[in-house]
Short mmCIF file of all heavy atoms in Angstrom, two decimals:
data_model
loop_
_atom_site.label_atom_id
_atom_site.label_comp_id
_atom_site.label_asym_id
_atom_site.label_seq_id
_atom_site.Cartn_x
_atom_site.Cartn_y
_atom_site.Cartn_z
N MET B 1 -4.27 2.46 -11.29
CA MET B 1 -4.44 2.56 -9.86
C MET B 1 -3.21 3.25 -9.27
O MET B 1 -2.11 3.06 -9.74
CB MET B 1 -4.58 1.17 -9.24
CG MET B 1 -4.67 1.24 -7.74
SD MET B 1 -4.44 -0.30 -6.83
CE MET B 1 -5.47 -1.40 -7.67
N ARG B 2 -3.46 4.03 -8.25
CA ARG B 2 -2.38 4.70 -7.52
C ARG B 2 -2.21 4.04 -6.17
O ARG B 2 -3.15 3.51 -5.61
CB ARG B 2 -2.70 6.17 -7.34
CG ARG B 2 -3.05 6.84 -8.63
CD ARG B 2 -2.28 8.00 -9.14
NE ARG B 2 -1.33 8.65 -8.30
CZ ARG B 2 -0.06 8.82 -8.68
NH1 ARG B 2 0.38 8.33 -9.80
NH2 ARG B 2 0.77 9.48 -7.92
N THR B 3 -1.00 4.10 -5.67
CA THR B 3 -0.72 3.53 -4.37
C THR B 3 0.21 4.45 -3.59
O THR B 3 1.03 5.14 -4.17
CB THR B 3 -0.10 2.11 -4.49
OG1 THR B 3 0.06 1.56 -3.20
CG2 THR B 3 1.24 2.14 -5.17
N VAL B 4 0.02 4.45 -2.28
CA VAL B 4 0.89 5.20 -1.37
C VAL B 4 1.13 4.31 -0.17
O VAL B 4 0.22 3.65 0.31
CB VAL B 4 0.22 6.53 -0.91
CG1 VAL B 4 1.01 7.17 0.22
CG2 VAL B 4 0.08 7.48 -2.07
N VAL B 5 2.37 4.31 0.32
CA VAL B 5 2.69 3.57 1.53
C VAL B 5 2.98 4.59 2.62
O VAL B 5 3.80 5.50 2.44
CB VAL B 5 3.92 2.66 1.32
CG1 VAL B 5 4.29 1.96 2.63
CG2 VAL B 5 3.65 1.64 0.23
N ASP B 6 2.31 4.44 3.74
CA ASP B 6 2.57 5.28 4.91
C ASP B 6 3.84 4.76 5.55
O ASP B 6 3.83 3.77 6.29
CB ASP B 6 1.39 5.22 5.87
CG ASP B 6 1.56 6.12 7.08
OD1 ASP B 6 2.70 6.56 7.36
OD2 ASP B 6 0.55 6.37 7.76
N LEU B 7 4.95 5.39 5.24
CA LEU B 7 6.25 4.90 5.70
C LEU B 7 6.44 5.07 7.20
O LEU B 7 7.34 4.44 7.77
CB LEU B 7 7.37 5.58 4.91
CG LEU B 7 7.36 5.26 3.41
CD1 LEU B 7 8.41 6.08 2.69
CD2 LEU B 7 7.56 3.77 3.17
N THR B 8 5.60 5.86 7.86
CA THR B 8 5.68 5.94 9.31
C THR B 8 5.04 4.72 9.97
O THR B 8 5.37 4.39 11.10
CB THR B 8 5.01 7.22 9.86
OG1 THR B 8 3.63 7.22 9.49
CG2 THR B 8 5.70 8.46 9.30
N ARG B 9 4.15 4.06 9.24
CA ARG B 9 3.52 2.82 9.73
C ARG B 9 4.30 1.58 9.34
O ARG B 9 4.30 0.59 10.03
CB ARG B 9 2.12 2.67 9.16
CG ARG B 9 1.11 3.56 9.75
CD ARG B 9 -0.20 3.30 9.09
NE ARG B 9 -1.18 3.03 10.11
CZ ARG B 9 -2.42 2.74 9.87
NH1 ARG B 9 -2.84 2.64 8.63
NH2 ARG B 9 -3.26 2.53 10.85
N CYS B 10 4.93 1.63 8.16
CA CYS B 10 5.63 0.47 7.61
C CYS B 10 6.70 0.00 8.58
O CYS B 10 7.52 0.78 9.06
CB CYS B 10 6.26 0.83 6.27
SG CYS B 10 7.20 -0.53 5.53
N GLN B 11 6.70 -1.29 8.87
CA GLN B 11 7.66 -1.89 9.79
C GLN B 11 8.67 -2.78 9.07
O GLN B 11 9.47 -3.45 9.71
CB GLN B 11 6.93 -2.70 10.86
CG GLN B 11 6.01 -1.87 11.73
CD GLN B 11 6.78 -0.87 12.56
OE1 GLN B 11 7.70 -1.23 13.26
NE2 GLN B 11 6.40 0.40 12.47
N GLY B 12 8.63 -2.83 7.75
CA GLY B 12 9.59 -3.60 6.98
C GLY B 12 9.36 -5.10 6.99
O GLY B 12 10.30 -5.86 6.80
N TYR B 13 8.12 -5.54 7.19
CA TYR B 13 7.83 -6.97 7.15
C TYR B 13 8.01 -7.55 5.75
O TYR B 13 8.19 -8.74 5.58
CB TYR B 13 6.40 -7.25 7.64
CG TYR B 13 6.21 -6.98 9.10
CD1 TYR B 13 5.51 -5.87 9.53
CD2 TYR B 13 6.72 -7.86 10.05
CE1 TYR B 13 5.33 -5.62 10.88
CE2 TYR B 13 6.55 -7.62 11.41
CZ TYR B 13 5.86 -6.49 11.81
OH TYR B 13 5.68 -6.26 13.15
N ALA B 14 7.92 -6.71 4.73
CA ALA B 14 8.20 -7.04 3.33
C ALA B 14 7.21 -8.02 2.70
O ALA B 14 7.52 -8.62 1.68
CB ALA B 14 9.62 -7.56 3.16
N GLN B 15 6.03 -8.15 3.25
CA GLN B 15 5.01 -9.00 2.62
C GLN B 15 4.68 -8.45 1.24
O GLN B 15 4.47 -9.21 0.30
CB GLN B 15 3.75 -9.09 3.48
CG GLN B 15 3.98 -9.77 4.81
CD GLN B 15 4.49 -11.18 4.64
OE1 GLN B 15 3.91 -11.98 3.92
NE2 GLN B 15 5.61 -11.47 5.27
N CYS B 16 4.66 -7.14 1.10
CA CYS B 16 4.36 -6.52 -0.19
C CYS B 16 5.43 -6.86 -1.23
O CYS B 16 5.12 -7.09 -2.40
CB CYS B 16 4.22 -5.01 -0.04
SG CYS B 16 5.66 -4.19 0.67
N VAL B 17 6.67 -6.92 -0.80
CA VAL B 17 7.77 -7.23 -1.71
C VAL B 17 7.64 -8.65 -2.24
O VAL B 17 7.87 -8.91 -3.42
CB VAL B 17 9.14 -7.03 -1.01
CG1 VAL B 17 10.28 -7.44 -1.91
CG2 VAL B 17 9.30 -5.58 -0.56
N PHE B 18 7.25 -9.58 -1.38
CA PHE B 18 7.09 -10.97 -1.80
C PHE B 18 5.90 -11.14 -2.74
O PHE B 18 5.95 -11.92 -3.68
CB PHE B 18 6.92 -11.89 -0.60
CG PHE B 18 8.16 -11.97 0.26
CD1 PHE B 18 8.12 -11.54 1.57
CD2 PHE B 18 9.35 -12.46 -0.25
CE1 PHE B 18 9.26 -11.60 2.37
CE2 PHE B 18 10.49 -12.52 0.54
CZ PHE B 18 10.44 -12.08 1.85
N LEU B 19 4.83 -10.38 -2.48
CA LEU B 19 3.60 -10.54 -3.28
C LEU B 19 3.60 -9.72 -4.56
O LEU B 19 2.95 -10.11 -5.54
CB LEU B 19 2.39 -10.19 -2.42
CG LEU B 19 2.12 -11.19 -1.29
CD1 LEU B 19 1.12 -10.62 -0.30
CD2 LEU B 19 1.63 -12.50 -1.86
N ALA B 20 4.27 -8.59 -4.58
CA ALA B 20 4.28 -7.74 -5.78
C ALA B 20 5.69 -7.15 -5.99
O ALA B 20 5.90 -5.95 -5.86
CB ALA B 20 3.25 -6.62 -5.63
N PRO B 21 6.64 -8.00 -6.32
CA PRO B 21 8.03 -7.54 -6.45
C PRO B 21 8.27 -6.55 -7.60
O PRO B 21 9.28 -5.85 -7.58
CB PRO B 21 8.81 -8.84 -6.66
CG PRO B 21 7.82 -9.80 -7.22
CD PRO B 21 6.50 -9.42 -6.60
N ASP B 22 7.36 -6.47 -8.55
CA ASP B 22 7.52 -5.50 -9.63
C ASP B 22 7.09 -4.10 -9.21
O ASP B 22 7.38 -3.13 -9.92
CB ASP B 22 6.71 -5.92 -10.86
CG ASP B 22 7.29 -7.16 -11.53
OD1 ASP B 22 8.48 -7.48 -11.31
OD2 ASP B 22 6.55 -7.83 -12.28
N VAL B 23 6.43 -3.98 -8.07
CA VAL B 23 5.95 -2.69 -7.58
C VAL B 23 6.68 -2.25 -6.32
O VAL B 23 7.00 -1.09 -6.15
CB VAL B 23 4.42 -2.73 -7.34
CG1 VAL B 23 3.92 -1.43 -6.75
CG2 VAL B 23 3.70 -3.06 -8.63
N PHE B 24 6.95 -3.20 -5.42
CA PHE B 24 7.59 -2.90 -4.13
C PHE B 24 8.99 -3.51 -4.09
O PHE B 24 9.20 -4.62 -4.57
CB PHE B 24 6.76 -3.48 -2.98
CG PHE B 24 5.37 -2.96 -2.92
CD1 PHE B 24 4.32 -3.70 -3.46
CD2 PHE B 24 5.08 -1.74 -2.34
CE1 PHE B 24 3.02 -3.23 -3.41
CE2 PHE B 24 3.79 -1.26 -2.29
CZ PHE B 24 2.75 -2.00 -2.83
N GLU B 25 9.92 -2.79 -3.49
CA GLU B 25 11.30 -3.26 -3.41
C GLU B 25 11.93 -2.77 -2.10
O GLU B 25 11.77 -1.59 -1.74
CB GLU B 25 12.08 -2.70 -4.60
CG GLU B 25 13.54 -2.98 -4.59
CD GLU B 25 14.27 -2.27 -5.73
OE1 GLU B 25 13.62 -1.77 -6.66
OE2 GLU B 25 15.50 -2.21 -5.66
N LEU B 26 12.62 -3.65 -1.41
CA LEU B 26 13.36 -3.22 -0.22
C LEU B 26 14.69 -2.64 -0.66
O LEU B 26 15.40 -3.22 -1.47
CB LEU B 26 13.60 -4.40 0.72
CG LEU B 26 12.46 -4.75 1.65
CD1 LEU B 26 12.87 -5.91 2.56
CD2 LEU B 26 12.02 -3.58 2.49
N HIS B 27 15.00 -1.51 -0.10
CA HIS B 27 16.28 -0.85 -0.37
C HIS B 27 17.05 -0.86 0.94
O HIS B 27 16.65 -0.20 1.90
CB HIS B 27 16.03 0.58 -0.85
CG HIS B 27 17.27 1.31 -1.21
ND1 HIS B 27 18.03 1.00 -2.31
CD2 HIS B 27 17.90 2.34 -0.61
CE1 HIS B 27 19.07 1.80 -2.37
NE2 HIS B 27 19.00 2.62 -1.34
N GLY B 28 18.10 -1.65 0.99
CA GLY B 28 18.79 -1.84 2.26
C GLY B 28 17.98 -2.79 3.11
O GLY B 28 17.24 -3.63 2.59
N GLU B 29 18.06 -2.67 4.41
CA GLU B 29 17.35 -3.60 5.28
C GLU B 29 15.93 -3.16 5.61
O GLU B 29 15.09 -3.98 5.90
CB GLU B 29 18.15 -3.83 6.55
CG GLU B 29 19.45 -4.54 6.25
CD GLU B 29 19.97 -5.30 7.43
OE1 GLU B 29 19.22 -5.52 8.39
OE2 GLU B 29 21.14 -5.66 7.36
N GLU B 30 15.69 -1.86 5.61
CA GLU B 30 14.36 -1.40 6.02
C GLU B 30 13.73 -0.37 5.10
O GLU B 30 12.57 -0.03 5.29
CB GLU B 30 14.43 -0.84 7.44
CG GLU B 30 14.76 -1.89 8.47
CD GLU B 30 14.73 -1.32 9.87
OE1 GLU B 30 14.20 -0.22 10.07
OE2 GLU B 30 15.25 -2.00 10.75
N GLY B 31 14.44 0.15 4.14
CA GLY B 31 13.89 1.18 3.26
C GLY B 31 13.03 0.56 2.17
O GLY B 31 13.47 -0.33 1.47
N LEU B 32 11.82 1.04 2.02
CA LEU B 32 10.91 0.52 1.00
C LEU B 32 10.79 1.51 -0.15
O LEU B 32 10.51 2.69 0.07
CB LEU B 32 9.53 0.27 1.61
CG LEU B 32 8.48 -0.30 0.65
CD1 LEU B 32 8.85 -1.74 0.28
CD2 LEU B 32 7.10 -0.24 1.27
N LEU B 33 11.01 1.02 -1.36
CA LEU B 33 10.78 1.78 -2.57
C LEU B 33 9.56 1.17 -3.25
O LEU B 33 9.37 -0.04 -3.19
CB LEU B 33 11.98 1.70 -3.51
CG LEU B 33 13.31 2.21 -2.97
CD1 LEU B 33 14.42 1.95 -3.97
CD2 LEU B 33 13.22 3.69 -2.65
N TYR B 34 8.75 2.02 -3.90
CA TYR B 34 7.55 1.49 -4.56
C TYR B 34 7.12 2.42 -5.67
O TYR B 34 7.45 3.59 -5.69
CB TYR B 34 6.41 1.29 -3.56
CG TYR B 34 5.93 2.57 -2.92
CD1 TYR B 34 4.83 3.23 -3.43
CD2 TYR B 34 6.57 3.10 -1.81
CE1 TYR B 34 4.37 4.40 -2.85
CE2 TYR B 34 6.13 4.27 -1.23
CZ TYR B 34 5.03 4.92 -1.75
OH TYR B 34 4.59 6.08 -1.17
N ALA B 35 6.39 1.85 -6.62
CA ALA B 35 5.83 2.62 -7.72
C ALA B 35 4.48 3.19 -7.29
O ALA B 35 3.63 2.45 -6.81
CB ALA B 35 5.65 1.73 -8.94
N THR B 36 4.28 4.48 -7.46
CA THR B 36 2.99 5.07 -7.08
C THR B 36 1.92 4.77 -8.11
O THR B 36 0.75 4.67 -7.77
CB THR B 36 3.11 6.60 -6.89
OG1 THR B 36 3.64 7.18 -8.08
CG2 THR B 36 4.01 6.91 -5.71
N ALA B 37 2.32 4.64 -9.37
CA ALA B 37 1.38 4.27 -10.43
C ALA B 37 1.54 2.77 -10.69
O ALA B 37 2.59 2.32 -11.10
CB ALA B 37 1.66 5.06 -11.70
N VAL B 38 0.49 2.02 -10.40
CA VAL B 38 0.54 0.57 -10.52
C VAL B 38 0.15 0.15 -11.94
O VAL B 38 -0.93 0.50 -12.41
CB VAL B 38 -0.41 -0.09 -9.51
CG1 VAL B 38 -0.40 -1.60 -9.65
CG2 VAL B 38 -0.04 0.33 -8.09
N PRO B 39 1.02 -0.60 -12.62
CA PRO B 39 0.66 -1.09 -13.96
C PRO B 39 -0.56 -2.01 -13.89
O PRO B 39 -0.76 -2.71 -12.90
CB PRO B 39 1.90 -1.88 -14.40
CG PRO B 39 3.00 -1.42 -13.51
CD PRO B 39 2.36 -1.00 -12.23
N GLU B 40 -1.37 -2.00 -14.94
CA GLU B 40 -2.60 -2.80 -14.97
C GLU B 40 -2.36 -4.28 -14.65
O GLU B 40 -3.14 -4.90 -13.94
CB GLU B 40 -3.27 -2.70 -16.34
CG GLU B 40 -4.17 -1.51 -16.51
CD GLU B 40 -5.32 -1.49 -15.51
OE1 GLU B 40 -6.01 -2.50 -15.33
OE2 GLU B 40 -5.53 -0.42 -14.92
N ASP B 41 -1.26 -4.83 -15.14
CA ASP B 41 -1.00 -6.25 -14.93
C ASP B 41 -0.55 -6.57 -13.50
O ASP B 41 -0.41 -7.73 -13.13
CB ASP B 41 0.02 -6.78 -15.94
CG ASP B 41 1.39 -6.16 -15.77
OD1 ASP B 41 1.50 -5.03 -15.27
OD2 ASP B 41 2.37 -6.83 -16.16
N GLN B 42 -0.37 -5.53 -12.67
CA GLN B 42 0.06 -5.74 -11.29
C GLN B 42 -1.02 -5.41 -10.25
O GLN B 42 -0.80 -5.56 -9.06
CB GLN B 42 1.30 -4.89 -11.00
CG GLN B 42 2.52 -5.29 -11.81
CD GLN B 42 2.97 -6.69 -11.45
OE1 GLN B 42 3.17 -7.02 -10.29
NE2 GLN B 42 3.11 -7.52 -12.46
N VAL B 43 -2.18 -4.96 -10.70
CA VAL B 43 -3.23 -4.52 -9.78
C VAL B 43 -3.64 -5.62 -8.80
O VAL B 43 -3.73 -5.38 -7.60
CB VAL B 43 -4.45 -3.98 -10.56
CG1 VAL B 43 -5.64 -3.76 -9.64
CG2 VAL B 43 -4.08 -2.68 -11.28
N ALA B 44 -3.88 -6.82 -9.28
CA ALA B 44 -4.30 -7.91 -8.39
C ALA B 44 -3.23 -8.21 -7.36
O ALA B 44 -3.53 -8.41 -6.17
CB ALA B 44 -4.63 -9.16 -9.20
N ARG B 45 -1.98 -8.21 -7.77
CA ARG B 45 -0.87 -8.48 -6.83
C ARG B 45 -0.77 -7.38 -5.78
O ARG B 45 -0.53 -7.65 -4.61
CB ARG B 45 0.44 -8.60 -7.59
CG ARG B 45 0.57 -9.87 -8.38
CD ARG B 45 1.91 -9.90 -9.10
NE ARG B 45 2.17 -11.18 -9.70
CZ ARG B 45 2.86 -12.15 -9.11
NH1 ARG B 45 3.37 -11.98 -7.92
NH2 ARG B 45 3.05 -13.30 -9.72
N VAL B 46 -0.95 -6.13 -6.20
CA VAL B 46 -0.86 -5.02 -5.25
C VAL B 46 -2.02 -5.06 -4.26
O VAL B 46 -1.86 -4.78 -3.08
CB VAL B 46 -0.77 -3.67 -5.99
CG1 VAL B 46 -0.90 -2.50 -5.05
CG2 VAL B 46 0.54 -3.59 -6.76
N ARG B 47 -3.20 -5.44 -4.73
CA ARG B 47 -4.34 -5.59 -3.80
C ARG B 47 -4.05 -6.68 -2.77
O ARG B 47 -4.35 -6.51 -1.58
CB ARG B 47 -5.62 -5.92 -4.57
CG ARG B 47 -6.18 -4.76 -5.35
CD ARG B 47 -7.55 -5.12 -5.93
NE ARG B 47 -8.00 -4.15 -6.90
CZ ARG B 47 -8.52 -2.96 -6.60
NH1 ARG B 47 -8.65 -2.59 -5.37
NH2 ARG B 47 -8.89 -2.14 -7.57
N GLN B 48 -3.45 -7.77 -3.19
CA GLN B 48 -3.06 -8.84 -2.26
C GLN B 48 -2.02 -8.34 -1.27
O GLN B 48 -2.08 -8.64 -0.08
CB GLN B 48 -2.50 -10.05 -3.02
CG GLN B 48 -3.52 -10.82 -3.79
CD GLN B 48 -2.89 -11.94 -4.61
OE1 GLN B 48 -1.74 -11.83 -5.06
NE2 GLN B 48 -3.64 -13.01 -4.81
N ALA B 49 -1.07 -7.58 -1.78
CA ALA B 49 -0.02 -7.04 -0.92
C ALA B 49 -0.60 -6.10 0.14
O ALA B 49 -0.23 -6.16 1.31
CB ALA B 49 1.02 -6.30 -1.76
N ALA B 50 -1.54 -5.25 -0.28
CA ALA B 50 -2.18 -4.33 0.67
C ALA B 50 -2.94 -5.09 1.74
O ALA B 50 -2.89 -4.76 2.92
CB ALA B 50 -3.10 -3.36 -0.06
N ALA B 51 -3.65 -6.14 1.33
CA ALA B 51 -4.41 -6.95 2.29
C ALA B 51 -3.49 -7.71 3.24
O ALA B 51 -3.83 -7.94 4.40
CB ALA B 51 -5.31 -7.93 1.55
N ALA B 52 -2.31 -8.08 2.77
CA ALA B 52 -1.37 -8.87 3.58
C ALA B 52 -0.51 -8.02 4.51
O ALA B 52 0.12 -8.55 5.42
CB ALA B 52 -0.47 -9.69 2.67
N CYS B 53 -0.49 -6.72 4.31
CA CYS B 53 0.35 -5.85 5.14
C CYS B 53 -0.11 -5.92 6.60
O CYS B 53 -1.25 -5.55 6.91
CB CYS B 53 0.28 -4.42 4.64
SG CYS B 53 1.30 -3.29 5.61
N PRO B 54 0.76 -6.38 7.50
CA PRO B 54 0.37 -6.54 8.91
C PRO B 54 -0.02 -5.23 9.59
O PRO B 54 -0.78 -5.24 10.56
CB PRO B 54 1.61 -7.12 9.58
CG PRO B 54 2.46 -7.64 8.48
CD PRO B 54 2.12 -6.85 7.26
N VAL B 55 0.50 -4.10 9.10
CA VAL B 55 0.19 -2.82 9.74
C VAL B 55 -0.69 -1.93 8.87
O VAL B 55 -0.91 -0.75 9.17
CB VAL B 55 1.49 -2.07 10.14
CG1 VAL B 55 2.24 -2.82 11.22
CG2 VAL B 55 2.37 -1.82 8.94
N GLN B 56 -1.22 -2.50 7.75
CA GLN B 56 -2.12 -1.79 6.84
C GLN B 56 -1.56 -0.43 6.42
O GLN B 56 -2.25 0.58 6.45
CB GLN B 56 -3.50 -1.63 7.49
CG GLN B 56 -4.17 -2.96 7.82
CD GLN B 56 -4.41 -3.80 6.58
OE1 GLN B 56 -5.20 -3.44 5.74
NE2 GLN B 56 -3.71 -4.92 6.44
N ALA B 57 -0.30 -0.44 5.99
CA ALA B 57 0.38 0.79 5.59
C ALA B 57 0.17 1.16 4.13
O ALA B 57 0.54 2.25 3.72
CB ALA B 57 1.88 0.66 5.88
N ILE B 58 -0.42 0.26 3.33
CA ILE B 58 -0.57 0.50 1.90
C ILE B 58 -1.97 1.00 1.59
O ILE B 58 -2.97 0.36 1.93
CB ILE B 58 -0.29 -0.79 1.10
CG1 ILE B 58 1.11 -1.32 1.43
CG2 ILE B 58 -0.46 -0.54 -0.39
CD1 ILE B 58 1.38 -2.70 0.88
N LEU B 59 -2.05 2.16 0.96
CA LEU B 59 -3.32 2.75 0.54
C LEU B 59 -3.44 2.65 -0.96
O LEU B 59 -2.47 2.90 -1.69
CB LEU B 59 -3.40 4.22 0.95
CG LEU B 59 -3.29 4.51 2.44
CD1 LEU B 59 -3.23 6.00 2.68
CD2 LEU B 59 -4.44 3.89 3.19
N LEU B 60 -4.63 2.28 -1.44
CA LEU B 60 -4.85 2.07 -2.88
C LEU B 60 -5.99 2.93 -3.40
O LEU B 60 -6.94 3.22 -2.68
CB LEU B 60 -5.22 0.61 -3.14
CG LEU B 60 -4.24 -0.43 -2.65
CD1 LEU B 60 -4.82 -1.81 -2.85
CD2 LEU B 60 -2.93 -0.29 -3.35
N GLY B 61 -5.92 3.27 -4.68
CA GLY B 61 -7.02 3.93 -5.38
C GLY B 61 -7.59 5.12 -4.67
O GLY B 61 -6.89 6.09 -4.40
N GLU B 62 -8.90 5.05 -4.34
CA GLU B 62 -9.60 6.16 -3.70
C GLU B 62 -9.04 6.47 -2.31
O GLU B 62 -9.08 7.60 -1.88
CB GLU B 62 -11.10 5.83 -3.57
CG GLU B 62 -11.80 5.70 -4.90
CD GLU B 62 -11.70 6.96 -5.74
OE1 GLU B 62 -11.86 8.06 -5.19
OE2 GLU B 62 -11.45 6.84 -6.95
N GLU B 63 -8.51 5.47 -1.63
CA GLU B 63 -7.94 5.69 -0.30
C GLU B 63 -6.77 6.66 -0.35
O GLU B 63 -6.49 7.35 0.60
CB GLU B 63 -7.46 4.36 0.29
CG GLU B 63 -8.52 3.34 0.51
CD GLU B 63 -7.95 1.98 0.87
OE1 GLU B 63 -6.73 1.79 0.76
OE2 GLU B 63 -8.74 1.11 1.26
N VAL B 64 -6.08 6.68 -1.47
CA VAL B 64 -4.88 7.52 -1.61
C VAL B 64 -5.23 8.98 -1.39
O VAL B 64 -4.57 9.67 -0.64
CB VAL B 64 -4.21 7.31 -2.98
CG1 VAL B 64 -3.13 8.34 -3.22
CG2 VAL B 64 -3.64 5.91 -3.06
N SER B 65 -6.28 9.48 -2.02
CA SER B 65 -6.61 10.89 -1.89
C SER B 65 -7.22 11.24 -0.53
O SER B 65 -7.01 12.30 -0.02
CB SER B 65 -7.55 11.33 -3.01
OG SER B 65 -8.74 10.58 -2.96
N SER B 66 -7.93 10.31 0.07
CA SER B 66 -8.58 10.62 1.35
C SER B 66 -7.74 10.24 2.56
O SER B 66 -7.87 10.83 3.60
CB SER B 66 -9.93 9.91 1.44
OG SER B 66 -9.76 8.50 1.44
N GLY B 67 -6.84 9.27 2.42
CA GLY B 67 -6.11 8.80 3.59
C GLY B 67 -4.67 9.22 3.67
O GLY B 67 -4.06 9.18 4.73
N ALA B 68 -4.07 9.64 2.60
CA ALA B 68 -2.66 10.00 2.61
C ALA B 68 -2.47 11.40 3.20
O ALA B 68 -3.29 12.26 3.04
CB ALA B 68 -2.09 9.97 1.20
N ARG B 69 -1.34 11.57 3.86
CA ARG B 69 -1.04 12.87 4.46
C ARG B 69 0.21 13.43 3.85
O ARG B 69 1.13 12.83 3.55
CB ARG B 69 -0.86 12.74 5.96
CG ARG B 69 -2.14 12.42 6.63
CD ARG B 69 -1.98 12.49 8.14
NE ARG B 69 -3.27 12.22 8.71
CZ ARG B 69 -3.55 11.18 9.47
NH1 ARG B 69 -2.62 10.33 9.78
NH2 ARG B 69 -4.74 11.02 9.95
#
């Protein structure tokens, strides 16, 4: 699975970091680093993280090609 975070939407709530720390990481106080290719063992966690994002900044799978700019 592929993932993209719309960093213009991301507000640094860090719900993704708490739910999928192997994929998402805060760099400094507000900078988000993330893996674009999600390992198979992290897919469920990343789906939870995307659902928990208060601003829906995380795009997954098919959404990546159609929704990312």
